[in-house]
Amino acid sequence: MEPGDAVSPGPGQALRALLPRLLLLPLLPVLLGRGLRAGAAASSSGAAAEDSSAMEELATEKEAEESHRQDSVSLLTFILLLTLTILTIWLFKHRRVRFLHETGLAMIYGLIVGVILRYGTPATSGHDKSLSCTQEDRAFSTLLVNVSGKFFEYTLKGEISPGKINNVEQNDMLRKVTFDPEVFFNILLPPIIFHAGYSLKKRHFFRNLGSILAYAFLGTAVSCFIIGNLMYGVVKLMKIVGQLSDKFYYTDCLFFGAIISATDPVTVLAIFNELHADVDLYALLFGESVLNDAVAIVLSSSIVAYQPAGLNTHAFDAAAFFKSVGIFLGIFSGSFTMGAVTGVVTALVTKFTKLHCFPLLETALFFLMSWSTFLLAEACGFTGVVAVLFCGITQAHYTYNNLSVESRSRTKQLFEVLHFLAENFIFSYMGLALFTFQKHVFSPIFIIGAFVAIFLGRAAHIYPLSFFLNLGRRHKIGWNFQHMMMFSGLRGAMAFALAIRDTASYARQMMFTTTLLIVFFTVWIIGGGTTPMLSWLNIRVGVDPDQDPPPNNDSFQVLQGDGPDSVGGSRTKQESAWIFRLWYSFDHNYLKPILTHSGPPLTTTLPAWCGLLAQCLTSPQVYDNQEPLREDDSDFILTEGDLTLTYGDSTVTANGSSGSHTASTNLEGGRRTKSSSEEVLERDLETGDQKVSSRGTPLVFPLQENA
């Protein structure tokens, strides 16, 4: 046998190898049964796990669908509220009903829907459970929770006091209609504030610029500190009588004074606009409310930034105080600069491009640039309200002149519609929030004290400032105007938005509830009493916005002179601050030609060595137009002469001023003697009220004979 050859087994060896297998044959059914049962068990376990996972996915999908449905229902609720408000507004205007404004209607409808949602819908969520994390010493904005090997993400919604741990809202629908406060600031407020600046009547605004700035800046600061100190006394009283259940610091009182000092006389101004009330009273109230909102939000931010050194973080510290003042000035100036720069950039883009050939693109760019101003300021740590306000003023002054006719109409209408919808949405939500907000703290003592403090703060704001302003004004602010301004100190969207932005602490929750009730009262009661108050104070209505006030009527004192003591032809432009008249000269000669297609050519205003730059920046349209484009509101700042007529010993100018002059007419800075046409006008004036036209504007001079 050769090595490597296979050896075949013998019979004995084959039998020995087969014997163990033959012995296992009786056990084969048993082993097969066990294997089949084990396989079936494993198979059933896997199937159960798959069924459980499928059920969880199905439940998650159903929850997502239900959440989507509730989101749609909540938005539909607000849309129906706005629709109902619009239809009711039409009915009120058709019936000439003025005792209730559209914002008051929106609040009433919001209250009704809030009651239905609170008491008419059942609780749909019962899965909340408290979990203890005693090892952590702070709250996390995001948590990842391990539930049976699956991780779920949870976000922080705020602190809940131990006494209310069992009163957490279980109704998912009420949770859906409770909006994130950032929605108000980033979506609803920008169109409201921008529209205020974009639709600003500069003619009457600049006429009363000094008074408006005094009321807005100094008056708001005075009101804030008076209300804050009075409320601190109220808080001390609450502590004595045992009505204060948590901490309430002096800085909290000042913060409440700042947010509640933001006036929003939207109801009064709407009635003024509808009745064509005195334009200068309208300008004083509107200008104060616009700038007052900006001051209030920056002032509240400065109070929040007040951080004294040492253990007692709520004690007075001079260094921290001046630091807060610096923060106030820095935030306000930075926001103002950012808004103005954005407006200038938009003006340059619309001037040096052919966007006017595509009105849709032009309008879209204008809209995005204007809205981005708010977000840009907030992202940079400034205040978007101030930035978007001055962006609107800059856009109206420069960019508007560069837009095509279609874009001018579109931008005006677009922001007017957005302003209307956003404002009524906020007031509807105010009514809704009275029943759907989950952290209300009602304190009768604090609420009553707040009403008294607001009244005293408004009085200290209006009357002393008006007294000091009248010392330097040729045209006095009459008592009837002061009373109307005192009466018109409504609170509205800005105060509500500032209050709802932070409701984490006990003090802030009490502030929010009180602010909500104050807004209700002022909009319904004070807003409804506007028309009777106008009649009682003898404030004229039915006034043409382009008409200047009459010269001698005791009821119209805001622009009347001091009688015979008012020597000299005091003109409207002199009512504007002298610094603004200097600004207008600079603006008319340099900025308008650079940023718009109007104004004198830069080749005539810049030095000769700037000739190349002047030619590049000057628009060709300037050379084509014989008369540069000019805004109607600029008449109050131009240095052109005004029409001057004489009646008896009094001189009447086109702006309504009076003095002891001989009759003359100033044209283009020169003087000439009275012409025959002026003699005819003078003879006509002897018969009573007559219309005189200056620069195409009809003016009415109701003159009274001297006794």
Side-chain angles (χ1 to χ4, degrees), residues 387-405:
V388 79
L389 170 64
F390 287 101
C391 176
I393 296 175
T394 307
Q395 301 277 45
H397 193 59
Y398 297 114
T399 311
Y400 184 80
N401 290 327
N402 300 334
L403 300 178
S404 61
V405 177

Side-chain angles (χ1 to χ4, degrees), residues 75-317:
L75 292 177
L76 178 63
T77 300
F78 285 103
I79 291 176
L80 292 178
L81 280 175
L82 293 177
T83 304
L84 186 60
T85 302
I86 291 173
L87 293 176
T88 313
I89 291 170
W90 169 82
L91 181 63
F92 276 34
K93 289 184 179 294
H94 182 68
R95 299 294 183 182
R96 299 182 183 274
V97 177
R98 296 192 180 96
F99 66 87
L100 186 62
H101 186 248
E102 58 200 44
T103 54
L105 281 172
M107 295 172 69
I108 291 175
Y109 290 143
L111 281 171
I112 295 173
V113 175
V115 171
I116 295 174
L117 291 178
R118 166 59 66 181
Y119 301 106
T121 56
T124 56
S125 174
H127 305 293
D128 293 338
K129 180 181 180 181
S130 300
L131 299 177
S132 299
C133 295
T134 56
Q135 297 179 354
E136 303 296 338
D137 56 355
R138 65 183 181 89
F140 296 94
S141 59
T142 304
L143 282 179
L144 293 178
V145 179
N146 186 348
V147 180
S148 301
K150 295 183 178 181
F151 289 89
F152 297 89
E153 181 181 3
Y154 294 84
T155 57
L156 178 67
K157 296 202 66 173
E159 181 182 2
I160 300 175
S161 60
K164 296 184 177 182
I165 193 66
N166 295 322
N167 296 329
V168 177
E169 184 57 61
Q170 298 295 319
N171 194 323
D172 288 339
M173 190 62 200
L174 292 181
R175 288 182 175 181
K176 291 291 184 181
V177 297
T178 304
F179 281 91
D180 187 342
E182 296 304 317
V183 172
F184 291 98
F185 269 84
N186 295 330
I187 297 179
L188 298 178
L189 275 186
I192 295 176
I193 303 301
F194 182 86
H195 178 264
Y198 194 52
S199 62
L200 182 68
K201 297 292 185 182
K202 296 185 292 298
R203 173 178 182 177
H204 306 288
F205 179 83
F206 291 136
R207 167 189 282 172
N208 301 278
L209 181 64
S211 301
I212 290 172
L213 292 177
Y215 287 128
F217 284 86
L218 186 58
T220 304
V222 169
S223 176
C224 168
F225 284 99
I226 288 179
I227 294 175
N229 284 279
L230 290 176
M231 294 311 298
Y232 188 64
V234 172
V235 169
K236 289 294 185 182
L237 176 62
M238 293 173 60
K239 188 174 182 180
I240 292 174
V241 299
Q243 295 294 319
L244 194 66
S245 59
D246 208 337
K247 298 178 181 179
F248 207 121
Y249 298 105
Y250 178 68
T251 52
D252 294 325
C253 296
L254 287 180
F255 179 82
F256 178 73
I259 65 174
I260 208 64
S261 295
T263 60
D264 185 18
V266 57
T267 305
V268 176
L269 293 176
I271 294 175
F272 278 14
N273 190 43
E274 183 178 354
L275 297 178
H276 299 288
D278 190 285
V279 290
D280 288 281
L281 176 60
Y282 183 94
L284 287 171
L285 278 174
F286 181 78
E288 179 207 359
S289 65
V290 168
L291 295 179
N292 160 278
D293 288 346
V295 174
I297 191 171
V298 179
L299 191 60
S300 61
S301 300
S302 303
I303 293 173
V304 172
Y306 177 80
Q307 293 292 340
L311 297 178
N312 191 354
T313 58
H314 295 275
F316 178 78
D317 186 357

Side-chain angles (χ1 to χ4, degrees), residues 11 58 133 140 150 176 182 188 228 231 284 315 360 365 369 406 490 516 520 558-559 599 608 662 705:
L58 183 60
C133 295
F140 296 94
K150 295 183 178 181
K176 291 291 184 181
E182 296 304 317
L188 298 178
M231 294 311 298
L284 287 171
L360 179 61
L365 178 67
M369 291 291 291
E406 294 88 345
L490 284 74
L516 199 58
F520 286 162
V558 72
L559 289 179
T662 59
E705 295 183 0

Side-chain angles (χ1 to χ4, degrees), residues 14 33 40 55 69 101 125 139 144 161 163 184 200 253 332 358 370 399 444 503 509 561 584 615 648 650 664 668:
M55 292 296 293
R69 188 188 66 82
H101 186 248
S125 174
L144 293 178
S161 60
F184 291 98
L200 182 68
C253 296
F332 195 93
F358 305 94
S370 302
T399 311
T503 56
Q509 293 166 10
Y584 175 77
Q615 292 178 1
S650 299
S664 62
E668 303 298 337

